[in-house]
Amino acid sequence: VRHLSVIGIGAGDPGFLTLEAIAAIEQVDVFIRFAKAADHDEPAALRALIIERFAVTRPHREVEITDPVRRADLPYPAAVSEWHAARAALLESALTSEVGEGETAGILVWGDPALYDSTLRLVDAVIARGSVDFEHVVVPGISSVQVLAARHRIPLNRVGQPVLVTTGRRLAAGLPHGVEDVVVMLDGGTAFTTLVGAGYEIFWGAYLGTPDEILIAGPLDDVADTIISERAAARERLGWMFDTYLLRAAPGAPARADP
Ligand SMILES: C[S@@+](CC[C@H](N)C(=O)[O-])C[C@H]1O[C@@H](n2cnc3c(N)ncnc32)[C@H](O)[C@@H]1O
């Protein structure tokens, strides 16, 4: 039977690799990766560095799958489901034709595979298609959310309180009533500005774990403009942007109404 290891490699610094991840990398015969059409693919650069540094105990091969393009002419849900099916078919064919019986394939996932990453859904889709037999394991990685909290030296949650993890798009659409602590990922813009004036603190981090890391924290009303300008300048300078932040309602802040 074939084996597949989905390995979290941490979000930025090769130092985030766990001993379990290194041991799993050492067992891989075939590294499979999806190549993005993006101009700048920082995760690809980290993966390459990790393979060079840690996949040294046995010969290995590398297989690149060209990520299919999502069709713009279909309604969004149809385009996404067609795209998922196309990716599953490509992964299935890579497993069938590039990985021999008894061999181990490896997919290196930025951060942790359980958080805003499609790899595990993709693997499940391949299993559901039922035409290639394999066993798989998932190795956890250090997520950007953990790095954010560590760099700001804060716990994410307040005592006994929940934390919502969501996307910039959802934050911009309005927080559910009563949510006071929220981690925002995948924000293509500056959705935190929707909470200016509502009594929040922000703990913001960009390029966490990389040499370009930027950290800004403070009352949102005081630091929002600084984040907006630092963010724009860094994106211009480096050609890409990855940021994550925690918003926390200050004690006694006015309760927010539902949008
Ligand atoms: C597709 S998600 C992948 C998340 C990843 N699986 C993880 O565990 O961190 C990409 C988003 O994660 C966040 N992110 C990932 N790496 C980051 C980093 N080094 N610094 C800041 N944010 C990061 C950003 O919000 C980015 O838009």
Side-chain angles (χ1 to χ4, degrees):
V1 65
R2 295 170 172 85
H3 303 270
L4 170 66
S5 300
V6 178
I7 306 168
I9 57 170
D13 188 333
F16 297 151
L17 269 186
T18 65
L19 296 178
E20 188 182 359
I22 294 172
I25 287 167
E26 288 176 349
Q27 296 301 314
V28 171
D29 299 295
V30 185
F31 289 95
I32 298 179
R33 64 169 184 270
F34 279 89
K36 288 223 163 59
D39 301 342
H40 196 106
D41 190 354
E42 197 64 16
L46 179 67
R47 276 184 214 112
L49 185 137
I50 283 176
I51 290 174
E52 190 187 314
R53 247 172 57 196
F54 296 100
V56 291
T57 55
R58 59 160 79 197
H60 65 265
R61 312 187 290 285
E62 294 184 39
V63 172
E64 185 170 289
I65 297 176
T66 305
D67 220 348
V69 180
R70 208 157 53 205
R71 279 175 58 177
D73 56 325
L74 293 178
Y76 184 74
V80 168
S81 86
E82 196 198 70
W83 182 64
H84 285 165
R87 297 183 93 213
L90 288 168
L91 178 56
E92 176 186 283
S93 113
L95 287 169
T96 313
S97 59
E98 307 283 352
V99 184
E101 281 292 321
E103 284 195 317
T104 299
I107 301 181
L108 304 187
V109 174
W110 180 268
D112 183 73
L115 203 54
Y116 288 109
D117 186 272
S118 59
T119 310
L120 298 180
R121 266 184 290 271
L122 183 62
V123 171
D124 284 343
V126 175
I127 293 168
R129 292 164 67 94
S131 62
V132 55
D133 197 23
F134 62 94
E135 288 172 351
H136 73 296
V137 294
V138 179
V139 178
I142 304 287
S143 167
S144 53
V145 177
Q146 292 163 278
V147 185
L148 177 77
R151 292 297 195 252
H152 283 290
R153 300 176 295 176
I154 52 163
L156 284 179
N157 64 289
R158 287 183 276 188
V159 179
Q161 296 303 307
V163 180
L164 175 71
V165 181
T166 190
T167 64
R169 187 190 295 251
R170 287 202 165 250
L171 177 68
L175 278 182
H177 189 70
V179 171
E180 300 200 321
D181 300 80
V182 54
V183 171
V184 182
M185 304 175 79
L186 288 166
D187 186 355
T190 51
F192 53 81
T193 53
T194 56
L195 289 179
V196 167
Y200 278 78
E201 275 183 292
I202 187 167
F203 299 87
W204 181 81
Y207 316 106
L208 292 160
T210 78
D212 300 305
E213 184 172 281
I214 312 173
L215 301 170
I216 298 176
L220 181 61
D221 295 6
D222 297 351
V223 299
D225 286 345
T226 312
I227 297 174
I228 292 169
S229 59
E230 287 266 347
R231 195 180 185 279
R235 165 175 252 159
E236 175 74 23
R237 188 170 69 245
L238 301 168
W240 69 294
M241 166 55 63
F242 249 6
D243 62 345
T244 305
Y245 48 92
L246 172 73
L247 289 161
R248 178 183 282 175
R256 274 172 39 82
D258 285 318

